[in-house]
Amino acid sequence: MTVAPAITALVLAGTRPGKPDPVAVAGGVSHKALLPIDGVPMVVRVVNALQAVPAITRIVVCLEDPTILDGILPPEVQVVPSRAEGPSASVLDSLARFGTPLLVTTADNALLQPEWVEELLHKSASQTDIAVGVATQASIQQSVPQTKRTYIRLTDMVFSGCNLFYFKTSVSARVADLWRSVEKNRKHPLRVAWTLGLGILLRAVMGRLSTQALYARIYALTSARAELLPLSDGRAAVDVDKEADIILAQKLAPALKLEYGH
């Protein structure tokens, strides 16, 4: 009998330096992670969902000033400072410190349900190094037709991200390193094109990129086998990164609590 490895979950709760986060401002809180949805701060909602997943044995929350969360989270949750360079650097730090498998999500993933996490953990292919939870356009429009999400269009799938990343093996750290390179050069499109390859970007822009071609490019750059895993519930794509999302999350949260029995 194979024993499943214990999983560390990392919750990214920091904010970029500079202008205040518009969601925090709209909610009247100092940090977006503290915004209450259905009466519970978003970061607490995310931690509660992760604690209900048996495979997750350690939860780490990172943000720029850990004292912001003093007395808010359960004592067994570890709080560490985030890296100023951005979320990819914080993920790389956690991969170096805690190893794999590492599940990564964000504090604004306020509707997160244990069942969605379980689906990502258990349905990813055995040979996958990194699995990314996504929701297809069809599932989102069926579950939350009133929401406006940003979609990525491949030839065989149109989807939105769910802020769920499962770094299954040590090789997956190379994907985080690639992410850091792209993040560092996000204001320099030509550098990003050089990193990822102009051909792959042109195919993506023209709508001619398939999932298999994307996987092949990631493998060529990192030797990691990636997988986009569509989750069955389109509500998994609803995070809170603008004012309209606050209203939508407040509307959806009570129904999800009843549906999943939390």
Side-chain angles (χ1 to χ4, degrees):
M1 180 179 176
T2 303
V3 178
I7 297 170
T8 296
L10 174 69
V11 182
L12 301 171
T15 56
R16 292 187 185 278
K19 293 190 299 182
D21 188 285
V23 169
V25 172
V29 292
S30 63
H31 285 70
K32 181 165 75 164
L34 301 178
L35 178 78
I37 297 295
D38 197 24
V40 180
M42 289 199 292
V43 66
V44 176
R45 294 179 62 90
V46 172
V47 166
N48 288 346
L50 294 171
Q51 286 186 318
V53 178
I56 294 174
T57 58
R58 180 197 288 124
I59 299 174
V60 181
V61 177
C62 78
L63 76 169
E64 61 275 14
D65 180 5
T67 62
I68 291 163
L69 297 178
D70 282 354
I72 293 174
L73 297 175
E76 64 271 20
V77 174
Q78 192 171 344
V79 184
V80 299
S82 57
R83 291 283 296 271
E85 302 96 300
S88 59
S90 295
V91 170
L92 278 166
D93 265 3
S94 292
L95 284 166
R97 184 171 180 177
F98 304 111
T100 53
L102 179 76
L103 177 84
V104 178
T105 189
T106 57
D108 64 1
N109 202 358
L111 301 179
L112 184 66
Q113 300 296 307
E115 291 77 9
W116 303 345
V117 177
E118 297 269 14
E119 190 173 8
L120 179 64
L121 298 182
H122 298 306
K123 288 191 176 180
S124 61
S126 59
Q127 70 271 23
T128 297
D129 294 302
I130 179 170
V132 180
V134 301
T136 63
Q137 184 178 33
S139 69
I140 293 170
Q141 291 178 345
Q142 180 180 10
S143 301
V144 273
Q146 66 272 48
T147 189
K148 292 183 178 179
R149 309 316 308 171
T150 300
Y151 290 105
I152 296 172
R153 298 181 180 275
L154 302 178
T155 57
D156 50 343
M157 180 163 53
V158 181
F159 66 92
S160 185
C162 297
N163 287 352
L164 279 173
F165 308 89
Y166 184 25
F167 292 81
K168 295 176 66 175
T169 71
S170 58
V171 179
S172 65
R174 298 177 189 170
V175 180
D177 199 38
L178 176 64
W179 173 19
R180 180 173 61 176
S181 177
V182 171
E183 190 175 46
K184 184 172 64 176
N185 293 311
R186 64 187 183 280
K187 295 182 180 179
H188 304 280
L190 289 178
R191 293 182 192 171
V192 174
W194 179 263
T195 299
L196 298 180
L198 184 57
I200 204 86
L201 286 181
L202 286 174
R203 288 163 71 184
V205 169
M206 297 173 69
R208 295 179 180 174
L209 184 65
S210 68
T211 54
Q212 292 304 317
L214 176 62
Y215 297 163
R217 184 57 185 164
I218 292 172
Y219 185 81
L221 291 169
T222 67
S223 299
R225 293 160 295 189
E227 178 183 6
L228 297 174
L229 200 150
L231 303 179
S232 52
D233 193 332
R235 292 173 295 186
V238 178
D239 58 0
V240 181
D241 58 11
K242 54 184 182 294
E243 278 191 67
D245 295 332
I246 301 175
I247 298 167
L248 179 60
Q250 292 282 16
K251 180 180 178 182
L252 294 176
L256 276 167
K257 185 164 59 179
L258 289 170
E259 183 175 329
Y260 289 104
H262 300 157

